[in-house]
Amino acid sequence: MWPFKRKNETRSNQALDQLLAVGTPTASGQFVNAENAQSLPAVLCAISTISEAIASLPIHVYQRDQQGNKQRARNHNAERLLNTSPNDYQTAYDLKIALMRAALMRGNAYAQIEYDGSGKPQSLHWLHPDSVLVKKLANHRLGYQVTLEGGKIKTLHQEEIIHIKYMSDNGVTGKSPIQIARETIGLGLAQQIHGARIFQNGAMPSGVLETDAVFKDPKAAQRIRSEFKEKYQGVNKSGEVIFLENGLKYKPLSITNTDAQWLESRAFTIADIARMFKLSPLLLQDLSHGTYSNFSEAQRAFLSQTLRPWLTNLQQAFNSRLVSIRSQGNTFIEFETKDLLRASTEERFASYDVAIRNGIVSPNEARASENMPARKGGDEYSQSWLNQLPKQAVKDRQHD
């Protein structure tokens, strides 16, 4: 099986079309692609929130013994690749956040696996999704053509690629939320550009002065218009009171219905983007309806509804490529998520108290959860829970 036979050839860079393309047209008139979608703060925040949360989670290799208990396999190659150094130029955090950003923005994320002489994974290298072409072969396997710098094409077998996909329609390649809900992104871009142009070119006075008099000098209106444009137009001059001539009266200006609807539509776009990424608006920094209680619930929903599917996706992709087939029955890769639901100090210590008194954890295990050193005698498990059982049940357990 090792080494693979590879086919190298030179072609035109397949990523060139992606680089030259302006994106997918939408009904709003805006072209949407993975890059300009990030100019919307809500999209950037959603991508950062999900990718940073997953990249910061510890991920470990475990092995199950014959009794079904799992133990850390600290010496497994994947433990180093996914937690410390996947290669010579990236940290594990860098690699995981690059994979997540690619999957969220483009629907596909790729990492090339380099193996040592014994067939064990030695390093992981992130590949730009636009440089990878996936083909389903006649033998029901996948082949990957990677466009390298200079236009050279490198063919890789599916065992050499970690492929993470999202929302796949064909089971081979995925689609991103940006691609699927591009009309929402296009609308948000149009709203953003509209607002920017108003502030750039529009006059934003706080009030005007009116008169019923007719200007006799034909050049007076033009002179006033020029002075108006010079003194009051532009974002740096907004809010100033306009001064005119000939017994003018001051009239304050308030926000128009059109402006109010524009602001409302901007807020609705944030809610739509939150739905796209399955996030609470609170996690996009929209605190208009935020309270302490619903923020705590949003954190729990973030783990169960948003992150858990992604974690399962990543775990299965890592397991299928970084754990040998003969070991997959008892060796597996799993994220550690307890830190995401880390409670306050008072709540944590109350939980430890219940767990220790009921013999679920030892005092030293609780101390380890708080990054505290073990103490002598702290490895003993409490038996106080026996006092809560009926006397006959205690006698039966002692005889067993």
Side-chain angles (χ1 to χ4, degrees):
M1 187 175 186
W2 312 100
F4 291 118
K5 294 182 179 178
R6 296 182 179 86
K7 180 181 179 182
N8 292 336
E9 51 186 291
T10 302
R11 299 180 186 174
S12 60
N13 194 330
Q14 293 180 2
L16 185 60
D17 292 340
Q18 295 287 341
L19 295 175
L20 294 177
V22 294
T24 306
T26 62
S28 63
Q30 301 301 312
F31 287 82
V32 174
N33 56 46
E35 298 303 327
N36 68 1
Q38 292 182 91
S39 65
L40 285 177
V43 173
L44 178 61
C45 185
I47 293 172
S48 300
T49 298
I50 298 173
S51 59
E52 290 171 3
I54 291 178
S56 62
L57 287 177
I59 180 170
H60 301 300
V61 182
Y62 296 94
Q63 288 181 333
R64 290 195 185 275
D65 57 24
Q66 294 181 351
Q67 288 73 36
N69 300 317
K70 68 178 185 179
Q71 300 290 336
R72 286 273 302 277
R74 299 178 184 273
N75 295 325
H76 198 282
N77 286 38
E79 185 79 20
R80 173 184 60 83
L81 295 176
L82 298 177
N83 284 293
T84 308
S85 55
N87 50 58
D88 293 334
Y89 55 90
Q90 278 184 312
T91 64
Y93 178 88
D94 293 334
L95 176 66
K96 286 184 283 188
I97 203 169
L99 288 172
M100 282 306 305
R101 284 178 55 83
L104 287 164
M105 292 193 299
R106 290 175 167 82
N108 295 278
Y110 306 94
Q112 180 185 352
I113 308 170
E114 285 190 349
Y115 294 89
D116 60 19
S118 62
K120 295 180 180 179
Q122 184 178 27
S123 61
L124 302 176
H125 302 276
W126 179 79
L127 300 174
H128 197 290
D130 292 345
S131 69
V132 180
L133 178 64
V134 187
K135 289 186 177 181
K136 189 173 182 180
L137 307 178
N139 59 359
H140 303 292
R141 291 168 55 82
L142 297 180
Y144 294 84
Q145 290 186 340
V146 182
T147 304
L148 305 177
E149 293 183 5
K152 193 173 184 179
I153 302 295
K154 185 176 184 179
T155 301
L156 299 175
H157 295 257
Q158 65 180 28
E159 288 83 4
E160 297 178 279
I161 291 286
I162 294 176
H163 183 186
I164 299 162
K165 48 186 171 289
Y166 179 70
M167 289 289 184
S168 177
D169 291 334
N170 58 10
V172 177
T173 56
K175 292 182 178 180
S176 72
I178 294 173
Q179 181 182 0
I180 296 171
R182 57 186 175 274
E183 291 294 343
T184 296
I185 301 296
L187 178 60
L189 290 172
Q191 292 167 347
Q192 186 167 267
I193 293 173
H194 172 72
R197 286 175 177 169
I198 287 178
F199 282 101
Q200 179 184 8
N201 301 319
M204 304 294 292
S206 60
V208 296
L209 297 173
E210 297 179 339
T211 181
D212 295 331
V214 178
F215 291 105
K216 297 181 179 179
D217 184 358
K219 297 182 179 180
Q222 181 62 37
R223 176 175 56 83
I224 292 174
R225 185 181 296 108
S226 299
E227 292 178 355
F228 176 85
K229 182 176 181 180
E230 178 183 352
K231 295 181 180 180
Y232 306 110
Q233 182 171 311
V235 64
N236 295 329
K237 302 168 186 177
S238 64
E240 296 186 16
V241 177
I242 300 173
F243 176 78
L244 298 176
E245 304 173 0
N246 297 332
L248 303 172
K249 298 179 181 179
Y250 176 76
K251 180 181 179 181
L253 298 179
S254 60
I255 187 170
T256 66
N257 291 334
T258 301
D259 292 335
Q261 291 173 359
W262 176 73
L263 293 174
E264 290 175 1
S265 65
R266 290 275 287 169
F268 186 76
T269 298
I270 294 176
D272 262 354
I273 292 172
R275 295 184 187 101
M276 283 171 48
F277 291 94
K278 295 196 297 183
L279 289 171
S280 166
L282 295 174
L283 298 178
L284 298 185
Q285 309 304 314
D286 179 7
L287 305 179
S288 55
H289 301 288
T291 63
Y292 177 81
S293 59
N294 64 15
F295 186 78
S296 299
E297 290 302 317
Q299 286 288 91
R300 292 184 176 87
F302 178 54
L303 173 59
S304 62
Q305 299 179 21
T306 306
L307 293 189
R308 191 171 299 282
W310 278 110
L311 297 181
T312 301
N313 191 351
L314 290 168
Q315 287 169 180
Q316 293 184 357
F318 293 151
N319 278 313
S320 66
R321 294 293 180 263
L322 301 180
V323 179
S324 63
I325 295 177
R326 67 176 181 272
S327 300
Q328 288 180 9
N330 60 0
T331 303
F332 59 95
I333 299 172
E334 190 174 78
F335 280 93
E336 186 178 315
T337 60
K338 64 181 182 181
D339 282 349
L340 287 176
L341 297 177
R342 194 171 179 85
S344 64
T345 303
E346 182 179 359
E347 292 171 333
R348 292 200 310 275
F349 278 73
S351 176
Y352 295 148
D353 178 58
V354 173
I356 292 172
R357 283 191 289 105
N358 287 277
I360 300 172
V361 299
S362 68
N364 278 344
E365 289 173 334
R367 292 172 65 85
S369 298
E370 294 294 321
N371 294 318
M372 300 170 65
R375 68 178 186 181
K376 187 177 180 179
D379 292 324
E380 299 295 328
Y381 288 89
S382 172
Q383 301 294 319
S384 61
W385 57 274
L386 290 173
N387 298 329
Q388 302 175 14
L389 295 175
K391 293 183 178 180
Q392 185 60 42
V394 175
K395 291 180 179 179
D396 291 342
R397 286 180 174 273
Q398 291 175 347
H399 289 305
D400 290 342

